[in-house]
Amino acid sequence: QVQLVESGGGLVQAGGSLRLSCAASGSIFSISAMGWYRQAPGKQRELVATITRGGSTNYADSVKGRSTISRDNAKNTVYLQMNSLKPEDTAVYYCNAVVFTTPISNLEVWGQGTLVTVSS
């Protein structure tokens, strides 16, 4: 059993910053890729950023230059630092991870989400 728990969401004014955290727990051998996705009301879920175990990152064009994804492998935690927030960043943010429960078995796991609201 593996769980992801997000934290750090909340209400922030446009132009402000927020740091999201996601901690994985449970039966974990190792964690491969981790990432953040978001879903705004009436819109499809979209990728925000991903990071491999080795630290390679990928960002959506909409957040590139304003956001930084990082991870602490020792803590099984991924972070998303968001700066210069815009109202269009308002969404429920979900943490995602590819978790190896054994050296050869993996599972894609999702957190329950944390709401980020950016006011104008």
Side-chain angles (χ1 to χ4, degrees):
Q1 298 182 20
V2 179
Q3 298 82 38
L4 301 180
V5 179
E6 302 101 332
S7 62
L11 176 64
V12 63
Q13 295 184 48
S17 298
L18 209 58
R19 187 182 190 234
L20 306 182
S21 299
C22 172
S25 62
S27 184
I28 300 170
F29 176 78
S30 66
I31 301 178
S32 185
M34 301 186 82
W36 290 94
Y37 295 74
R38 67 186 182 187
Q39 186 166 24
K43 298 180 66 177
Q44 294 188 41
R45 186 195 69 183
E46 65 177 356
L47 181 145
V48 178
T50 61
I51 183 168
T52 68
R53 184 172 181 82
S56 296
T57 59
N58 181 51
Y59 297 92
D61 288 340
S62 59
V63 304
K64 195 172 299 181
R66 301 187 293 122
S67 300
T68 301
I69 187 170
S70 61
R71 64 190 288 172
D72 185 333
N73 292 333
K75 296 181 179 180
N76 289 329
T77 300
V78 63
Y79 307 92
L80 181 67
Q81 176 69 44
M82 299 185 290
N83 303 316
S84 301
L85 285 163
K86 306 173 181 179
E88 50 262 47
D89 292 319
T90 296
V92 176
Y93 284 69
Y94 296 93
C95 179
N96 170 268
V98 177
V99 180
F100 279 80
T101 56
T102 75
I104 59 171
S105 301
N106 65 63
L107 179 71
E108 187 174 34
V109 185
W110 291 89
Q112 295 199 123
T114 185
L115 177 63
V116 172
T117 302
V118 183
S119 65
S120 60

Coordinates of all heavy atoms in Angstrom, one line a residue, residues 40-118:
A40 N -8.5 22.5 -13.2 CA -9.4 23.6 -12.9 C -10.8 23.3 -13.2 O -11.1 22.4 -14.0 CB -8.9 24.8 -13.7
P41 N -11.7 24.0 -12.6 CA -13.2 23.7 -12.8 C -13.5 23.8 -14.3 O -13.1 24.7 -15.0 CB -13.9 24.8 -12.1 CG -12.9 25.1 -11.0 CD -11.6 25.0 -11.6
G42 N -14.2 22.7 -14.8 CA -14.6 22.7 -16.2 C -13.5 22.4 -17.2 O -13.7 22.5 -18.4
K43 N -12.3 22.1 -16.7 CA -11.2 21.8 -17.6 C -10.6 20.4 -17.3 O -10.8 19.8 -16.3 CB -10.1 22.8 -17.4 CG -10.5 24.3 -17.8 CD -9.3 25.2 -17.6 CE -8.2 25.0 -18.6 NZ -7.1 26.0 -18.4
Q44 N -9.9 19.9 -18.3 CA -9.2 18.6 -18.1 C -8.0 18.7 -17.3 O -7.4 19.8 -17.2 CB -8.9 18.0 -19.5 CG -10.0 17.6 -20.4 CD -9.6 16.9 -21.6 OE1 -8.8 16.0 -21.5 NE2 -10.2 17.2 -22.7
R45 N -7.6 17.6 -16.7 CA -6.4 17.6 -15.9 C -5.2 17.8 -16.8 O -5.1 17.3 -17.9 CB -6.2 16.2 -15.2 CG -5.0 16.1 -14.3 CD -4.7 14.7 -13.9 NE -4.2 14.0 -15.1 CZ -3.9 12.7 -15.1 NH1 -4.1 11.9 -14.0 NH2 -3.5 12.1 -16.2
E46 N -4.2 18.6 -16.4 CA -3.1 18.9 -17.2 C -1.8 18.7 -16.3 O -1.8 18.9 -15.1 CB -3.1 20.3 -17.7 CG -3.1 21.4 -16.7 CD -3.0 22.8 -17.3 OE1 -3.0 22.9 -18.6 OE2 -3.1 23.8 -16.6
L47 N -0.7 18.4 -17.0 CA 0.6 18.2 -16.4 C 1.1 19.6 -16.1 O 1.0 20.5 -16.8 CB 1.5 17.5 -17.3 CG 2.9 17.2 -16.8 CD1 3.4 15.9 -17.3 CD2 3.9 18.3 -17.2
V48 N 1.7 19.7 -14.9 CA 2.4 20.9 -14.5 C 3.9 20.8 -14.5 O 4.6 21.6 -15.2 CB 2.0 21.3 -13.0 CG1 2.7 22.6 -12.6 CG2 0.5 21.6 -12.9
A49 N 4.4 19.7 -13.9 CA 5.8 19.5 -13.9 C 6.1 18.1 -13.5 O 5.3 17.5 -12.7 CB 6.5 20.5 -13.0
T50 N 7.2 17.5 -13.9 CA 7.6 16.2 -13.5 C 9.1 16.2 -13.2 O 9.8 17.1 -13.7 CB 7.4 15.1 -14.6 OG1 8.1 15.4 -15.8 CG2 5.9 15.0 -14.9
I51 N 9.6 15.3 -12.5 CA 11.0 15.1 -12.1 C 11.3 13.7 -12.0 O 10.6 12.9 -11.3 CB 11.3 16.0 -10.8 CG1 12.8 15.9 -10.6 CG2 10.5 15.5 -9.7 CD1 13.2 16.9 -9.5
T52 N 12.4 13.3 -12.6 CA 12.9 11.9 -12.4 C 13.7 11.7 -11.1 O 14.0 12.7 -10.4 CB 13.8 11.5 -13.6 OG1 15.0 12.3 -13.5 CG2 13.1 11.8 -14.9
R53 N 14.0 10.5 -10.8 CA 14.8 10.3 -9.6 C 16.1 10.9 -9.7 O 16.6 11.4 -8.6 CB 14.9 8.8 -9.4 CG 15.6 8.4 -8.1 CD 15.6 7.0 -7.8 NE 16.3 6.7 -6.5 CZ 15.8 6.8 -5.3 NH1 14.5 7.2 -5.2 NH2 16.5 6.6 -4.2
G54 N 16.7 11.0 -10.9 CA 18.0 11.6 -11.0 C 17.9 13.2 -11.1 O 19.0 13.8 -11.1
G55 N 16.7 13.7 -11.1 CA 16.6 15.2 -11.1 C 16.3 15.9 -12.4 O 16.2 17.1 -12.5
S56 N 16.0 15.1 -13.5 CA 15.7 15.7 -14.8 C 14.2 16.2 -14.7 O 13.4 15.5 -14.2 CB 15.8 14.7 -15.9 OG 17.1 14.3 -16.1
T57 N 14.0 17.4 -15.1 CA 12.7 18.1 -15.0 C 12.0 18.4 -16.3 O 12.7 18.5 -17.3 CB 12.8 19.4 -14.2 OG1 13.7 20.3 -14.8 CG2 13.3 19.1 -12.8
N58 N 10.7 18.5 -16.2 CA 9.9 18.9 -17.4 C 8.8 19.7 -16.9 O 8.1 19.4 -15.9 CB 9.3 17.6 -18.1 CG 8.5 17.9 -19.3 OD1 9.0 18.7 -20.2 ND2 7.3 17.4 -19.4
Y59 N 8.5 20.8 -17.6 CA 7.5 21.8 -17.2 C 6.5 22.1 -18.3 O 6.9 22.1 -19.5 CB 8.1 23.1 -16.7 CG 9.0 23.0 -15.5 CD1 10.4 22.8 -15.7 CD2 8.5 23.2 -14.3 CE1 11.2 22.8 -14.6 CE2 9.3 23.1 -13.2 CZ 10.7 22.9 -13.3 OH 11.5 22.8 -12.2
A60 N 5.3 22.3 -17.9 CA 4.3 22.8 -18.9 C 4.7 24.2 -19.3 O 5.2 25.0 -18.4 CB 2.9 22.8 -18.2
D61 N 4.4 24.6 -20.5 CA 4.7 25.9 -21.0 C 4.1 27.0 -20.1 O 4.7 28.1 -19.9 CB 4.3 26.1 -22.4 CG 5.2 25.3 -23.4 OD1 6.3 24.9 -23.0 OD2 4.7 25.1 -24.5
S62 N 2.9 26.7 -19.6 CA 2.2 27.7 -18.8 C 2.9 28.1 -17.5 O 2.6 29.1 -16.9 CB 0.8 27.2 -18.5 OG 0.8 26.0 -17.8
V63 N 3.7 27.2 -17.0 CA 4.4 27.5 -15.7 C 5.9 27.6 -15.8 O 6.5 27.9 -14.8 CB 4.0 26.4 -14.6 CG1 2.5 26.3 -14.5 CG2 4.6 25.1 -15.0
K64 N 6.4 27.3 -17.0 CA 7.8 27.4 -17.2 C 8.4 28.8 -16.9 O 7.8 29.8 -17.3 CB 8.2 27.0 -18.6 CG 9.6 26.7 -18.9 CD 9.8 26.1 -20.3 CE 9.0 24.8 -20.5 NZ 9.2 24.2 -21.9
G65 N 9.4 28.8 -16.1 CA 10.0 30.1 -15.7 C 9.5 30.6 -14.4 O 10.1 31.5 -13.8
R66 N 8.3 30.1 -14.0 CA 7.7 30.6 -12.7 C 7.7 29.5 -11.7 O 7.5 29.8 -10.5 CB 6.3 31.0 -13.0 CG 6.1 32.1 -14.0 CD 4.6 32.6 -14.0 NE 3.7 31.6 -14.5 CZ 2.7 31.1 -13.9 NH1 2.4 31.5 -12.7 NH2 1.9 30.1 -14.4
S67 N 7.9 28.3 -12.0 CA 7.8 27.2 -11.1 C 9.1 26.3 -11.1 O 9.8 26.2 -12.1 CB 6.6 26.3 -11.5 OG 5.4 27.0 -11.4
T68 N 9.3 25.7 -10.0 CA 10.4 24.8 -9.8 C 10.0 23.6 -9.1 O 9.4 23.6 -8.0 CB 11.6 25.5 -9.0 OG1 12.0 26.7 -9.7 CG2 12.8 24.5 -8.9
I69 N 10.2 22.4 -9.7 CA 9.9 21.2 -9.1 C 11.2 20.6 -8.5 O 12.3 20.7 -9.2 CB 9.2 20.2 -10.0 CG1 8.8 18.9 -9.3 CG2 10.1 19.8 -11.2 CD1 7.8 18.0 -10.1
S70 N 11.2 20.0 -7.4 CA 12.3 19.4 -6.7 C 11.9 18.2 -5.9 O 10.7 18.0 -5.7 CB 13.1 20.4 -5.9 OG 12.2 20.9 -4.8
R71 N 12.9 17.4 -5.5 CA 12.5 16.3 -4.7 C 13.6 15.9 -3.7 O 14.8 16.3 -3.9 CB 12.2 15.0 -5.5 CG 13.4 14.5 -6.4 CD 13.0 13.5 -7.4 NE 12.7 12.2 -6.8 CZ 12.1 11.2 -7.4 NH1 11.8 11.3 -8.7 NH2 11.8 10.1 -6.8
D72 N 13.2 15.3 -2.6 CA 14.1 14.8 -1.6 C 13.9 13.3 -1.5 O 13.0 12.8 -0.9 CB 13.9 15.5 -0.2 CG 14.9 15.1 0.8 OD1 15.5 14.0 0.7 OD2 15.1 15.9 1.7
N73 N 14.8 12.6 -2.2 CA 14.6 11.1 -2.2 C 14.7 10.4 -0.9 O 14.0 9.4 -0.7 CB 15.7 10.5 -3.2 CG 15.5 10.9 -4.6 OD1 14.4 11.2 -5.0 ND2 16.6 10.9 -5.4
A74 N 15.5 11.0 0.0 CA 15.6 10.4 1.4 C 14.3 10.5 2.1 O 14.0 9.7 3.0 CB 16.7 11.1 2.1
K75 N 13.5 11.6 1.8 CA 12.2 11.8 2.4 C 11.0 11.3 1.6 O 9.9 11.5 2.0 CB 12.0 13.3 2.8 CG 13.0 13.8 3.8 CD 12.8 15.3 4.1 CE 13.8 15.8 5.1 NZ 13.5 17.2 5.4
N76 N 11.3 10.8 0.4 CA 10.2 10.4 -0.5 C 9.2 11.5 -0.7 O 8.0 11.3 -0.7 CB 9.5 9.2 0.0 CG 10.3 7.9 0.0 OD1 11.2 7.8 -0.9 ND2 10.1 7.0 0.9
T77 N 9.7 12.7 -0.9 CA 8.9 13.9 -1.0 C 9.3 14.7 -2.3 O 10.4 14.8 -2.6 CB 9.1 14.8 0.2 OG1 8.7 14.1 1.4 CG2 8.3 16.1 0.1
V78 N 8.2 15.2 -2.9 CA 8.4 16.1 -4.1 C 7.8 17.5 -3.7 O 6.8 17.5 -3.0 CB 7.8 15.5 -5.3 CG1 6.3 15.3 -5.2 CG2 8.1 16.4 -6.6
Y79 N 8.4 18.5 -4.2 CA 7.9 19.9 -4.0 C 7.7 20.6 -5.3 O 8.2 20.3 -6.3 CB 9.0 20.7 -3.2 CG 9.5 20.0 -2.0 CD1 10.6 19.2 -2.0 CD2 8.8 20.2 -0.7 CE1 11.1 18.5 -0.8 CE2 9.3 19.5 0.4 CZ 10.4 18.7 0.4 OH 10.9 18.1 1.5
L80 N 6.8 21.6 -5.2 CA 6.5 22.5 -6.3 C 6.5 23.9 -5.8 O 5.6 24.3 -5.1 CB 5.2 22.2 -7.0 CG 4.9 23.0 -8.2 CD1 5.9 22.8 -9.4 CD2 3.5 22.8 -8.7
Q81 N 7.5 24.7 -6.1 CA 7.6 26.1 -5.8 C 7.0 26.9 -6.9 O 7.5 26.8 -8.0 CB 9.0 26.5 -5.5 CG 9.2 28.0 -5.2 CD 8.7 28.4 -3.9 OE1 8.9 27.7 -2.9 NE2 8.0 29.5 -3.9
M82 N 6.0 27.6 -6.6 CA 5.3 28.4 -7.6 C 5.4 29.9 -7.3 O 5.0 30.3 -6.2 CB 3.8 28.0 -7.8 CG 3.6 26.6 -8.2 SD 1.9 26.2 -8.5 CE 1.3 26.2 -6.8
N83 N 5.9 30.7 -8.2 CA 6.1 32.1 -8.1 C 5.2 32.8 -9.1 O 4.8 32.3 -10.1 CB 7.5 32.5 -8.2 CG 8.4 31.8 -7.2 OD1 8.1 31.6 -6.0 ND2 9.6 31.3 -7.6
S84 N 5.1 34.1 -8.9 CA 4.3 35.0 -9.8 C 3.0 34.3 -10.2 O 2.7 34.2 -11.4 CB 5.2 35.2 -11.1 OG 6.4 35.9 -10.7
L85 N 2.3 33.9 -9.2 CA 1.0 33.2 -9.5 C 0.0 34.1 -10.2 O -0.1 35.3 -9.9 CB 0.5 32.6 -8.2 CG 1.2 31.4 -7.6 CD1 0.9 31.2 -6.2 CD2 0.9 30.2 -8.5
K86 N -0.8 33.4 -11.0 CA -1.8 34.1 -11.8 C -3.1 33.4 -11.5 O -3.2 32.3 -11.1 CB -1.5 33.9 -13.3 CG -0.1 34.4 -13.8 CD 0.1 34.0 -15.2 CE 1.5 34.5 -15.7 NZ 1.7 34.1 -17.1
P87 N -4.2 34.2 -11.7 CA -5.6 33.6 -11.4 C -5.8 32.3 -12.2 O -6.5 31.4 -11.7 CB -6.5 34.7 -11.9 CG -5.8 36.0 -11.6 CD -4.3 35.6 -12.0
E88 N -5.2 32.2 -13.4 CA -5.4 31.0 -14.2 C -4.6 29.8 -13.6 O -4.8 28.6 -14.1 CB -5.0 31.2 -15.6 CG -3.6 31.8 -15.8 CD -3.7 33.3 -16.0 OE1 -4.4 34.0 -15.3 OE2 -3.0 33.8 -17.0
D89 N -3.8 30.0 -12.6 CA -3.2 28.9 -11.9 C -4.1 28.2 -10.9 O -3.8 27.2 -10.3 CB -1.9 29.4 -11.1 CG -0.8 29.8 -12.1 OD1 -0.6 29.1 -13.1 OD2 -0.2 30.8 -11.8
T90 N -5.3 28.8 -10.6 CA -6.3 28.3 -9.7 C -6.7 26.9 -10.2 O -7.2 26.7 -11.3 CB -7.5 29.2 -9.6 OG1 -7.1 30.4 -9.0 CG2 -8.5 28.6 -8.7
A91 N -6.6 25.9 -9.3 CA -6.9 24.5 -9.6 C -6.7 23.7 -8.4 O -6.1 24.1 -7.4 CB -6.1 24.0 -10.8
V92 N -7.1 22.4 -8.5 CA -6.8 21.4 -7.6 C -5.5 20.8 -8.1 O -5.4 20.3 -9.2 CB -7.8 20.3 -7.4 CG1 -7.4 19.2 -6.4 CG2 -9.1 21.0 -6.8
Y93 N -4.5 20.8 -7.3 CA -3.2 20.2 -7.7 C -3.0 18.8 -7.1 O -3.2 18.6 -5.9 CB -2.0 21.1 -7.2 CG -1.9 22.4 -8.0 CD1 -2.9 23.4 -8.0 CD2 -0.8 22.6 -8.9 CE1 -2.8 24.5 -8.7 CE2 -0.7 23.7 -9.6 CZ -1.7 24.7 -9.6 OH -1.5 25.8 -10.3
Y94 N -2.7 17.9 -8.0 CA -2.5 16.5 -7.6 C -1.1 16.1 -7.7 O -0.4 16.4 -8.7 CB -3.4 15.6 -8.5 CG -4.8 15.9 -8.4 CD1 -5.5 16.7 -9.2 CD2 -5.6 15.2 -7.4 CE1 -6.9 16.9 -9.1 CE2 -6.9 15.4 -7.3 CZ -7.6 16.3 -8.1 OH -8.9 16.5 -8.0
C95 N -0.6 15.3 -6.8 CA 0.7 14.7 -6.8 C 0.6 13.4 -7.4 O -0.4 12.6 -7.3 CB 1.2 14.6 -5.4 SG 2.9 13.9 -5.2
N96 N 1.7 13.0 -8.2 CA 1.7 11.7 -8.9 C 3.1 11.1 -8.7 O 4.1 11.9 -8.7 CB 1.4 11.9 -10.3 CG 1.6 10.7 -11.2 OD1 2.7 10.5 -11.7 ND2 0.6 9.8 -11.3
A97 N 3.1 9.8 -8.6 CA 4.4 9.2 -8.4 C 4.4 7.8 -9.0 O 3.3 7.1 -8.9 CB 4.9 9.1 -7.0
V98 N 5.5 7.3 -9.6 CA 5.6 6.0 -10.1 C 6.5 5.3 -9.0 O 7.7 5.6 -8.8 CB 6.3 5.9 -11.4 CG1 6.6 4.4 -11.8 CG2 5.5 6.6 -12.5
V99 N 5.8 4.4 -8.2 CA 6.4 3.8 -7.0 C 6.8 2.4 -7.3 O 5.9 1.6 -7.7 CB 5.5 3.9 -5.8 CG1 6.2 3.3 -4.6 CG2 5.2 5.4 -5.5
F100 N 8.0 2.0 -7.0 CA 8.4 0.6 -7.0 C 8.2 0.0 -5.7 O 8.8 0.5 -4.7 CB 9.9 0.5 -7.5 CG 10.1 0.5 -8.9 CD1 10.1 1.8 -9.6 CD2 10.3 -0.6 -9.7 CE1 10.3 1.8 -10.9 CE2 10.5 -0.5 -11.1 CZ 10.5 0.7 -11.7
T101 N 7.3 -1.0 -5.6 CA 7.1 -1.6 -4.3 C 8.1 -2.8 -4.1 O 8.3 -3.3 -3.0 CB 5.6 -2.1 -4.2 OG1 5.4 -3.0 -5.3 CG2 4.7 -1.0 -4.2
T102 N 8.6 -3.3 -5.2 CA 9.7 -4.3 -5.2 C 10.7 -3.8 -6.3 O 10.4 -2.9 -7.0 CB 9.2 -5.7 -5.5 OG1 8.9 -5.8 -6.9 CG2 8.0 -6.1 -4.7
P103 N 11.8 -4.4 -6.4 CA 12.8 -4.0 -7.5 C 12.2 -4.1 -8.9 O 12.8 -3.5 -9.8 CB 14.0 -4.9 -7.3 CG 13.9 -5.3 -5.8 CD 12.5 -5.4 -5.5
I104 N 11.2 -4.9 -9.1 CA 10.6 -5.1 -10.4 C 9.2 -4.8 -10.6 O 8.6 -5.0 -11.7 CB 10.9 -6.5 -10.9 CG1 10.3 -7.6 -10.0 CG2 12.4 -6.8 -11.1 CD1 10.3 -9.0 -10.5
S105 N 8.5 -4.3 -9.6 CA 7.1 -4.0 -9.6 C 6.8 -2.6 -9.3 O 7.2 -2.1 -8.2 CB 6.3 -4.9 -8.7 OG 6.5 -6.3 -9.0
N106 N 6.1 -1.9 -10.2 CA 5.8 -0.5 -9.9 C 4.3 -0.2 -10.0 O 3.6 -1.0 -10.6 CB 6.6 0.4 -10.8 CG 6.3 0.3 -12.3 OD1 5.2 0.6 -12.7 ND2 7.3 -0.1 -13.1
L107 N 3.9 0.9 -9.5 CA 2.6 1.3 -9.4 C 2.5 2.8 -9.5 O 3.3 3.5 -8.9 CB 1.9 0.8 -8.1 CG 0.5 1.2 -7.8 CD1 -0.4 0.3 -8.7 CD2 0.2 0.9 -6.3
E108 N 1.5 3.3 -10.3 CA 1.3 4.7 -10.4 C 0.3 5.1 -9.3 O -0.8 4.6 -9.2 CB 0.8 5.1 -11.8 CG 0.7 6.7 -11.9 CD 0.4 7.1 -13.4 OE1 -0.4 6.3 -14.0 OE2 0.9 8.1 -13.8
V109 N 0.7 6.1 -8.5 CA -0.1 6.5 -7.4 C -0.4 8.0 -7.5 O 0.4 8.8 -7.9 CB 0.6 6.2 -6.0 CG1 -0.3 6.5 -4.9 CG2 1.1 4.8 -6.0
W110 N -1.7 8.3 -7.1 CA -2.1 9.7 -7.1 C -2.5 10.2 -5.6 O -3.0 9.4 -4.9 CB -3.3 9.9 -8.0 CG -3.0 9.8 -9.4 CD1 -3.1 8.6 -10.1 CD2 -2.7 10.8 -10.3 NE1 -2.8 8.9 -11.5 CE2 -2.5 10.2 -11.6 CE3 -2.5 12.2 -10.2 CZ2 -2.2 11.0 -12.7 CZ3 -2.1 12.9 -11.3 CH2 -2.0 12.3 -12.5
G111 N -2.2 11.4 -5.3 CA -2.7 12.0 -4.1 C -4.1 12.4 -4.3 O -4.7 12.4 -5.4
Q112 N -4.7 12.9 -3.2 CA -6.1 13.3 -3.2 C -6.3 14.8 -3.7 O -7.4 15.2 -3.9 CB -6.8 13.1 -1.9 CG -6.9 11.6 -1.5 CD -7.9 11.3 -0.5 OE1 -8.9 10.5 -0.7 NE2 -7.8 12.0 0.7
G113 N -5.2 15.5 -3.7 CA -5.3 16.9 -4.2 C -5.2 17.9 -3.1 O -5.7 17.7 -2.0
T114 N -4.7 19.1 -3.5 CA -4.7 20.3 -2.6 C -5.1 21.5 -3.5 O -4.7 21.6 -4.6 CB -3.4 20.5 -2.0 OG1 -3.4 21.6 -1.0 CG2 -2.3 20.8 -3.0
L115 N -6.1 22.2 -3.0 CA -6.6 23.4 -3.7 C -5.7 24.6 -3.6 O -5.4 25.0 -2.5 CB -8.0 23.7 -3.2 CG -8.7 24.9 -3.9 CD1 -9.0 24.6 -5.3 CD2 -10.1 25.1 -3.2
V116 N -5.4 25.1 -4.8 CA -4.7 26.4 -4.9 C -5.7 27.4 -5.5 O -6.2 27.2 -6.6 CB -3.4 26.3 -5.7 CG1 -2.8 27.7 -6.0 CG2 -2.4 25.4 -5.0
T117 N -5.9 28.5 -4.8 CA -6.8 29.6 -5.3 C -6.0 30.9 -5.4 O -5.4 31.3 -4.4 CB -8.0 29.8 -4.4 OG1 -8.7 28.6 -4.3 CG2 -8.9 30.8 -5.0
V118 N -5.9 31.4 -6.6 CA -5.2 32.7 -6.8 C -6.2 33.8 -7.1 O -6.9 33.7 -8.1 CB -4.2 32.6 -8.0 CG1 -3.4 33.9 -8.1 CG2 -3.2 31.4 -7.7

